[in-house]
DNA sequence: TTGTATGCGTTATCAA
DNA sequence: TTGATAACGCATACAA
């Protein structure tokens, strides 16, 4: 570890120390730090040199005060799925690792009427350069408008494009669900059940669309009693399973709009002595840890959530830094999900 | 929403606006904000009044610069368990909700040789008032020393007391594991297997101690081939299950040092056609979502992780604010875990 | 108990 | 292209 030279006393060196050592004004040092264009290569090098030898690191608090903006990006979420949030965080941190940005995490309560006001106060106080909105709150247009009005850049993460490309990172839920259901059909399944996500969630709607899309292509349709509503929680899966699997002629496969509900359906199947996948195939969505922890392991859709975190952060940073870190023109804001086959899917039993 | 009166122009009101309106100096306003003692109730009220009507919120960046300290608390972790981290975060946020603190999240890589240096740079830049260390990095004494030397308060979270009470929040893994194993013994189990956590983790050692404690009390001992090492991951549970359950005379119960490994053991049991809990009882640890998503549901130990988050944050805040927010004398830094009985435990099969 | 002058470390303004 | 000086919004030392 390089011995960090001290400025005057034993404190951290400041911009003044650098200026003195380099024989320039502190504004010039500031220009170097902020990559100003109007500076000769020679003075830049001299300043860089001084910065190096002093081990100078700009004080973020002072910069924040002067810039009227904190070098932070905020993650706003109200997500029931811990793994999703944490994977996303991980991606964000990958992306900002070498910048001088830090991550501020803020869970919000979409149930509370004060949510918007809470977020406003949070953003006004912390003044991050940008905010990332995870689903389901990413679907809230007022929230996006709030960020806009406060001068906080934002990126909305979702299951489909929710906004213009500059403000979006999304997956392609509809397409990949359709693909998964086509696989079931190709295996010979004709009676396929569906457990929906919560009303008002765009992801739930997208997955449902994909499901019907595949069915219709094959000239099939969803029987009323093969459908169950849900809320992305295990218990909803249990209720759905109890409803659908108690039928005289239950479906031979069920698509569940997330893994937790799929686990619920599977528990009911086990409880009823139905073999999975022998008598019942099950597909989930998320590729959460649950998908591999249950038995048999669950076929599901992997959401590229970590990559989405990287992309969201890069979008924010690109927007902030301007041309320097611009995303390539051809980088689509849609990151594809992939269907993952595991043990819970097999051909339907012979009649 | 109350119309927020503006100070001079359309900007946010500053301490100057408040001082002008209240007819006092800005230093007096500052005293009110920082709860100085030397102030008359009358002026305090006048200032409070002015703050209210202006909707004044102190600018955290300016405070940070003047205080040489950011009003943030940092969460440092390198935890494989997303749910744990997020629950802890939730607790922390509960605790700081009404303060003007915000949460900074920083995953670190304990595998990297640069971890300490990374953390140092992070803390020097962000200057949080305190840091919370989650296991396993909470067990790193150098990290604690680093915080100390940088003047950053810290709290270490663990499975047992790792430091003096001021710097600790812990559970009582040893005791509660012993309790759980005693239940197995009381049910009649005599051959009980054990799947250990990773070497070098204090939690793994504590749980192991508790396991042996209960066995010894009952005059039992752990057979060599009923033991398997592990690393807290599902795959380790699978390996352990394959080893232990392939024995001619396998144990009738297995204690796994966390839920993921328990899920792995359970999968193997299912695969071998062993009934759980009919032929094999299984106990896990963590009460993660997995515990209730698998079938049958898993008896496990609930770690009061969210409460630990609350406590950790309160400890930091108390330390920061001094007497005002002091923790009660009798608040122990040990928050008890509890054993939760679900479906995966039953008496052993008759011989 | 209150106010004045000054500092915190950086960026912005505008003239040179 | 550079530099002197004034913000940025608040806290501290010291005086009143």
């Amino acid at each position: 570890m390089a011995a960090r030279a001290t400025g005057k006393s034993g404190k951290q060196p400041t911009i003044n120390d650098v200026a003195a050592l380099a024989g320039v004004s502190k504004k010039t040092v500031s220009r170097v730090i902020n990559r100003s264009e109007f500076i000769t290569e020679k003075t830049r090098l001299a300043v860089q040199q001084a910065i190096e030898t002093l081990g100078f690191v700009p004080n973020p608090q002072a910069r924040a005060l002067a810039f009227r903006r904190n070098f932070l990006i905020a993650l706003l979420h109200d997500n029931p799925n811990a793994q999703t949030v944490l994977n996303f965080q991980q991606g964000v941190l990958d992306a900002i690792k070498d910048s001088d940005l830090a991550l501020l995490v803020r869970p919000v309560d979409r149930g509370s009427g004060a949510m918007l006001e809470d977020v406003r106060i949070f953003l006004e106080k912390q003044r991050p350069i940008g905010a990332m909105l995870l689903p389901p709150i990413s679907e809230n247009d007022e929230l996006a408008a709030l960020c806009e009005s406060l001068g906080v850049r934002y990126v909305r993460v979702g299951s489909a494009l929710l906004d213009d490309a500059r403000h979006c990172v999304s997956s392609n839920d509809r397409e990949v669900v359709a693909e998964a259901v086509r696989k079931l059909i190709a295996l010979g399944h004709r009676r396929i059940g569906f457990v929906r996500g919560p009303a008002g969630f765009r992801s739930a709607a997208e997955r449902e669309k994909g499901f019907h899309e595949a069915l219709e292509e094959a000239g099939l349709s969803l029987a009323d009693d093969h459908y169950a509503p849900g809320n992305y929680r295990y218990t909803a899966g249990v209720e759905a399973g109890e409803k659908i699997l108690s039928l005289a002629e239950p479906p031979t496969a069920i698509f569940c709009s997330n893994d937790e509900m799929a686990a619920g359906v599977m528990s009911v199947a086990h409880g009823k002595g139905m073999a999975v996948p022998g008598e019942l195939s099950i597909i989930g969505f998320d590729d959460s840890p649950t998908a591999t922890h249950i038995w048999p392991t669950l076929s599901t859709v992997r959401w590229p959530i970590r990559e989405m975190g990287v992309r969201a952060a890069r979008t924010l940073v690109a927007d902030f830094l301007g041309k320097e870190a611009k995303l390539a023109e051809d980088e689509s804001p849609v990151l594809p999900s992939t269907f993952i086959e595991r043990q819970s899917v097999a051909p339907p039993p012979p009649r």
Side-chain angles (χ1 to χ4, degrees), chain A:
Chain A
M1 185 187 329
R4 298 179 320 132
T6 54
K8 284 180 177 173
S9 49
K11 301 288 179 186
Q12 303 229 353
T14 77
I15 199 171
N16 288 312
D17 302 320
V18 176
L21 182 61
V24 297
S25 76
K26 56 194 221 178
K27 178 59 199 174
T28 299
V29 177
S30 171
R31 287 197 177 93
V32 172
I33 295 171
N34 295 298
R35 300 181 176 75
S36 161
E37 309 171 39
F38 312 103
I39 210 164
T40 43
E41 196 54 27
K42 197 180 129 200
T43 53
R44 174 200 300 288
L45 285 174
V47 172
Q48 286 285 18
Q49 184 64 258
I51 289 177
E52 296 277 325
T53 63
L54 288 176
F56 166 73
V57 179
N59 177 315
Q61 286 77 42
R63 300 188 81 194
L65 181 58
F67 269 127
R68 280 106 161 262
R69 195 101 277 171
N70 236 324
F71 281 45
L72 298 173
I73 59 184
L75 173 57
L76 268 40
H77 72 89
D78 177 16
N79 198 304
N81 185 334
Q83 190 68 44
T84 299
V85 174
L86 224 63
N87 278 348
F88 188 88
Q89 272 189 24
Q90 196 61 53
V92 170
L93 289 152
D94 287 348
I96 65 176
K97 193 165 42 191
D98 297 320
S99 69
D100 22 52
L101 265 36
L103 174 66
L104 212 49
V105 178
R106 178 76 180 192
V108 302
D109 178 7
R110 70 172 175 279
S112 153
M115 182 187 85
L116 277 178
E117 193 55 20
D118 284 350
V119 171
R120 165 203 290 288
I121 291 173
F122 173 77
L123 293 178
E124 278 184 348
K125 285 185 68 162
Q126 298 302 329
R127 296 180 179 240
I129 63 166
M132 297 171 295
L133 313 176
L134 249 44
I137 57 164
S138 58
E139 296 164 16
N140 186 325
D141 290 326
E142 290 181 276
L143 205 51
L146 177 63
C147 291
E148 187 77 52
S149 76
L150 293 176
V152 174
R153 290 160 185 78
Y154 66 90
V155 175
R156 305 165 76 169
V157 177
S159 297
L161 287 175
L162 298 162
D163 204 325
D164 54 302
R166 255 181 42 129
H167 290 134
C168 261
V169 175
S170 92
S171 58
N172 58 341
D173 289 15
R174 189 179 52 69
E175 290 173 42
V176 68
V177 168
E179 178 192 329
V181 175
R182 278 186 211 111
K183 294 249 164 111
L184 288 176
I185 295 171
L187 284 173
H189 291 276
R190 291 296 173 268
R191 299 197 315 281
I192 305 175
F194 181 74
V195 183
R196 198 187 190 277
F201 277 45
R202 181 67 181 267
S203 60
E206 289 294 317
R207 294 168 199 182
E208 187 174 33
K209 273 189 215 162
F211 179 81
H212 282 110
E213 191 173 303
L215 248 54
E216 279 161 24
E217 284 169 11
L220 300 173
S221 64
L222 174 62
D224 281 351
D225 52 6
H226 289 177
Y227 164 88
N231 60 4
Y232 283 160
R233 295 188 197 283
Y234 176 82
T235 50
V238 170
E239 286 170 25
E242 270 159 5
K243 174 190 163 190
I244 298 177
L245 298 179
S246 300
L247 296 172
E249 197 175 44
T252 59
I254 298 182
F255 177 88
C256 301
S257 296
N258 80 341
D259 289 347
E260 283 201 34
M261 298 197 297
V265 169
M266 194 180 287
S267 296
V268 173
H270 286 317
K272 290 184 178 295
M274 287 179 80
V276 177
E279 298 172 66
L280 178 71
S281 290
I282 302 178
I283 294 183
F285 196 109
D286 274 348
D287 194 25
S288 65
T290 292
T292 49
H293 292 171
I294 59 180
W295 184 88
T297 55
L298 185 67
S299 292
T300 185
V301 173
R302 192 184 95 83
W303 225 40
I305 188 67
R306 182 161 176 168
E307 292 79 353
M308 292 173 82
V310 172
R311 176 63 62 87
R314 285 185 55 212
T315 302
L316 247 32
V317 172
D319 207 14
F320 179 63
L321 293 181
K323 50 194 163 307
E324 185 178 349
K326 185 113 85 192
L327 293 174
E329 285 291 336
D330 59 344
E331 290 192 85
S332 160
V334 180
L335 304 185
S337 298
T338 47
F339 179 55
I340 297 183
E341 301 204 50
R342 294 212 180 88
Q343 300 165 344
S344 65
V345 170
R351 306 195 45 137

